[in-house]
Amino acid sequence: MSTLDLSGSKKRKRNNNERVLFKFKNFGEQGFPTEFIGCNFDQNVKLLLEFAQQENGSIWSFQLEVHRHPPMHVFLFVVEEQVELSLNPHCKHCQYIGWGNNLMCNKKYHFLLPSKDTIGACVEGGGGQKYKYKTDSNNIIGGEIIKSKLNLIEIEGHMMHGVFHSNGFGHLLCVNGSLETPTSSDLPGHSIMDFWDRLCIGLRARKVSLRDISTKKGMDLRLLNTLAYGEPWFGRWGYKFGRGSFGVTQETYQNAINALQNMPLALLAHHHVGIININEILIVLSRYQMLSGHSLVTLCDAFHFMLELKSRIPKENNLTSCYPGLLVDTTCRWSPKRVEMAIRVVVEALKRAELRWVSRQEVRDAARAYIGDTGLLDFVLKSLGNHIVGKYLVRRCLNPVTKVLEYCLEDISKAFPKQDQGFRVNDSKGKQQYKITWVQLMKDIYFLYNNILKEHKRLMSNYTGIFATIPTASRIILDTKYFLKEYKGVSEPDSRIEADKSKIYCAIMLATNDGFGVEEKVMTPFECFLMRNDVTFDELKIEVEKTFGDMYLGLRNFTTRSINNLMSPISGIELVFNVMKPGSKIVLGGVIMSNNDDININGGIFEGIKNNIIVDCICGTKDEDGERMICCDICEVWQHTRCVNIPNHEAIPDIFLCNKCEQDILQFPSLP
């Protein structure tokens, strides 16, 4: 096996019997393994596949080195699927993200990173080229010939599976990252996403969608991450709101995020009537208030801190943190002894309040009986909020009703019950020290998620006032599963273009009949064409017809009849770049010919399935969104089962009447 690492400065033709080892960490970057200089996505895929090992006519593979010590290799398979021969030519992923009206492409390209489990299912014995999925010197998974294209595409459990249409629109179907150390035989999720993002950029993808339904220990990660960071985990790579289910719009989604993130923790203490496990919730929040060293004011603050802490604590180790009880500025004009005395007086005054909330003025008046220096008292009251004193957490918050600062003592001795009240004093430094384990942190995250965010029908009636926002906002975020990212797509003018050539961008316009009349619409995105500077319009039309015919199933018989966005008619022998500037965009109108006659476009050449069903759900949805639906047996209108109170765990009834038809039936006169 050769271990050459190709850089893209030179294009290298490879021997069919030679397998080249590429670096995983930079695969897909410019020059690794090729210069992605194609004008569009399809051309760049072909440039990439020149460096691949061809398994058969429609499957290629790359062997990628993740790291050398210990040795770890993975395989990238690229599968070309001819849509015309496919059992499922239409794309449901396009339908659900809102691209159902895109013209159907001739080809799809599947990019797969098999896991250590699925690589065995992708190969079969019986001689021939052998694959070695190498993870370390003592663990080599052997296999032989690829079974079939369908087997490779349809099997579940790959580390990564993404699919592109030949026009550059794509879908990331799965990412299954390992949570283990990098020496594991599978890759961590962030490494897989970095790899996928490099591929999309290098190949010049246009737009890529994904469906985020990832969970962990019963928690929906898109809700957890959106609360903590304002975006799902995939947002780190630029994926944003694509399409909501159940009528959720982008504005509704953003409002839900803002409402949930800005929910004040202080309200849990002030208005907790009816909330189950409220005492345990406050104890858990106190634990992380102690660990944070700064005030955790909102739900976002608490979950953000806990998830950041999770990323820093090794699974097998404890976290030991040290924080002072009260940090006094070195420029403070009072001695530490006087400050400490004032703190004790304030705490004792709050103790006498029996753990209820009292105003700042009440605390100040009670402490003045012992401390005559009002300046010292004001300093302590200002500095003491949300700090630990002994076994108490001194809470301070603004009363949302009276707009007055209030204080309260919270007994946190139960926060770390197995660790001597959770902290111990270090006499030499005067700091409090306490520990928390990764397991305890995960339990606390799950506890807060389950008791604050998760919907419980039996508890829904307990949420009143501002707390009623929590389950509503959580449901809106959970109903947003489809995200997308827009990439560069069509290439921009490049300094490496030959002097005698220029770029021009072309799109196709067709006359469509939507049932209300004939309308001319631009049916394709603009594609880049690199043409000679002396090219004529007739030559450009021939090239456009060929390129779009190779790319789209419905444009194989397309014939150009006009150039729609020119100010005046032009002759076919006229030079393009005498009329248009390089880099300009032109729209070519025409028709699809069949037996030399014009034909109408029908649903068969669109990515979405045009099955003429009517969707009109009470949530506002007017199109299929990937959620379970039911059809009324009278009016044949489809609605979400959830919206008509049929739980997901229940089977769809044999006969169903929508509310409107049911009411109409009730209006019928009774039989004599």
Side-chain angles (χ1 to χ4, degrees), residues 481-496:
K481 304 171 185 176
Y482 295 96
F483 301 89
L484 65 83
K485 179 176 179 179
E486 294 195 35
Y487 286 88
K488 192 173 182 180
V490 177
S491 88
E492 299 296 329
D494 196 316
S495 58
R496 291 172 295 184

Side-chain angles (χ1 to χ4, degrees), residues 11-234:
K11 194 169 183 180
R12 181 179 183 277
K13 297 293 182 180
R14 44 182 310 287
N15 189 311
N16 285 337
N17 296 321
E18 175 188 15
R19 180 172 290 282
V20 182
L21 189 61
F22 300 96
K23 298 289 187 183
F24 177 84
K25 67 179 181 181
N26 58 15
F27 189 87
E29 292 180 357
Q30 194 68 12
F32 299 94
T34 182
E35 297 283 352
F36 295 98
I37 58 174
C39 288
N40 55 40
F41 172 83
D42 199 45
Q43 291 176 12
N44 282 314
V45 171
K46 291 172 182 176
L47 288 173
L48 176 66
L49 294 182
E50 289 183 7
F51 292 83
Q53 176 83 26
Q54 188 163 13
E55 310 301 338
N56 58 40
S58 59
I59 302 177
W60 295 262
S61 68
F62 296 88
Q63 188 171 11
L64 308 176
E65 182 184 68
V66 180
H67 44 68
R68 189 168 295 177
H69 303 292
M72 177 181 174
H73 303 158
V74 295
F75 282 96
L76 169 67
F77 288 101
V78 182
V79 180
E80 180 185 279
E81 180 184 3
Q82 295 289 338
V83 171
E84 202 171 21
L85 304 177
S86 174
L87 296 176
N88 300 299
H90 295 281
C91 180
K92 64 179 181 181
H93 309 292
C94 283
Q95 177 90 28
Y96 298 154
I97 194 63
W99 303 340
N101 288 325
N102 287 6
L103 288 178
M104 185 185 296
C105 292
N106 283 317
K107 297 177 184 178
K108 296 178 186 176
Y109 294 99
H110 296 260
F111 286 75
L112 306 108
L113 287 175
S115 66
K116 65 178 181 181
D117 297 322
T118 60
I119 190 74
C122 295
V123 298
E124 65 183 359
Q129 174 84 37
K130 286 196 174 182
Y131 290 92
K132 292 183 178 179
Y133 195 109
K134 183 176 289 189
T135 58
D136 55 53
S137 57
N138 298 318
N139 183 13
I140 298 178
I141 301 174
E144 295 175 355
I145 300 298
I146 294 293
K147 285 184 179 178
S148 72
K149 176 170 64 179
L150 282 178
N151 184 69
L152 196 58
I153 292 174
E154 294 181 352
I155 194 170
E156 296 182 354
H158 294 305
M159 284 191 289
M160 186 200 81
H161 183 181
V163 60
F164 291 103
H165 303 282
S166 54
N167 61 357
F169 286 81
H171 313 281
L172 180 56
L173 304 184
C174 78
V175 171
N176 294 309
S178 169
L179 297 176
E180 304 300 325
T181 62
T183 58
S184 167
S185 55
D186 289 339
L187 298 166
H190 63 86
S191 295
I192 297 173
M193 282 303 300
D194 289 342
F195 175 79
W196 171 254
D197 204 45
R198 290 196 303 271
L199 276 179
C200 293
I201 294 171
L203 295 172
R204 295 191 184 275
R206 294 180 185 274
K207 296 181 181 180
V208 176
S209 76
L210 60 85
R211 182 172 181 247
D212 184 4
I213 53 172
S214 51
T215 61
K216 182 178 180 181
K217 299 185 183 298
M219 297 182 289
D220 288 283
L221 296 184
R222 68 184 177 284
L223 175 57
L224 199 60
N225 282 286
T226 301
L227 172 56
Y229 301 105
E231 61 184 13
W233 181 74
F234 295 99

Side-chain angles (χ1 to χ4, degrees), residues 400-413:
V401 178
T402 64
K403 307 300 181 184
V404 172
L405 274 177
E406 294 184 350
Y407 290 79
C408 178
L409 277 189
E410 187 173 323
D411 187 347
I412 59 170
S413 59

Side-chain angles (χ1 to χ4, degrees), residues 16 57 97 140 174 208 252 273 391 399 466-467 496 559 607:
N16 285 337
I97 194 63
I140 298 178
C174 78
V208 176
T252 307
V273 177
K391 67 174 185 176
N399 188 307
I466 192 170
F467 287 110
R496 291 172 295 184
T559 299
E607 292 292 0

Side-chain angles (χ1 to χ4, degrees), residues 621-670:
T621 299
K622 302 294 184 183
D623 197 5
E624 289 185 86
D625 57 6
E627 304 297 336
R628 193 172 75 149
M629 290 187 170
I630 190 170
C631 178
C632 174
D633 288 296
I634 294 180
C635 66
E636 297 185 343
V637 171
W638 291 77
Q639 299 181 75
H640 294 119
T641 53
R642 193 181 88 183
C643 294
V644 294
N645 298 317
I646 301 175
N648 286 333
H649 63 270
E650 289 187 8
I652 293 177
D654 295 330
I655 299 176
F656 171 75
L657 301 183
C658 68
N659 186 61
K660 181 179 180 300
C661 292
E662 199 171 51
Q663 293 301 318
D664 289 344
I665 291 175
L666 293 176
Q667 300 296 325
F668 290 168
S670 57

Side-chain angles (χ1 to χ4, degrees), residues 480-603:
T480 305
K481 304 171 185 176
Y482 295 96
F483 301 89
L484 65 83
K485 179 176 179 179
E486 294 195 35
Y487 286 88
K488 192 173 182 180
V490 177
S491 88
E492 299 296 329
D494 196 316
S495 58
R496 291 172 295 184
I497 296 175
E498 297 93 327
D500 62 339
K501 292 186 178 181
S502 297
K503 289 183 178 180
I504 194 161
Y505 298 88
C506 302
I508 298 298
M509 176 179 283
L510 294 172
T512 63
N513 190 338
D514 58 3
F516 300 97
V518 177
E519 179 186 5
E520 286 192 330
K521 292 174 62 176
V522 177
M523 303 302 295
T524 68
F526 283 93
E527 293 293 341
C528 177
F529 290 83
L530 186 60
M531 308 297 293
R532 301 187 327 272
N533 290 335
D534 60 351
V535 68
T536 66
F537 277 98
D538 281 342
E539 291 171 328
L540 177 63
K541 290 177 183 178
I542 293 172
E543 185 64 25
V544 167
E545 290 172 3
K546 179 181 183 302
T547 299
F548 281 100
D550 290 343
M551 187 174 295
Y552 295 100
L553 188 67
L555 297 181
R556 289 180 177 176
N557 298 316
F558 171 78
T559 299
T560 304
R561 290 192 172 175
S562 64
I563 298 179
N564 293 32
N565 59 337
L566 291 182
M567 299 298 293
S568 58
I570 50 92
S571 167
I573 61 173
E574 208 165 334
L575 299 183
V576 173
F577 294 110
N578 283 350
V579 179
M580 314 284 293
K581 292 181 179 179
S584 297
K585 294 182 177 181
I586 62 174
V587 178
L588 290 85
V591 293
I592 300 172
M593 304 300 294
S594 178
N595 297 323
N596 297 321
D597 295 321
D598 295 4
I599 62 170
N600 292 325
I601 295 177
N602 56 61

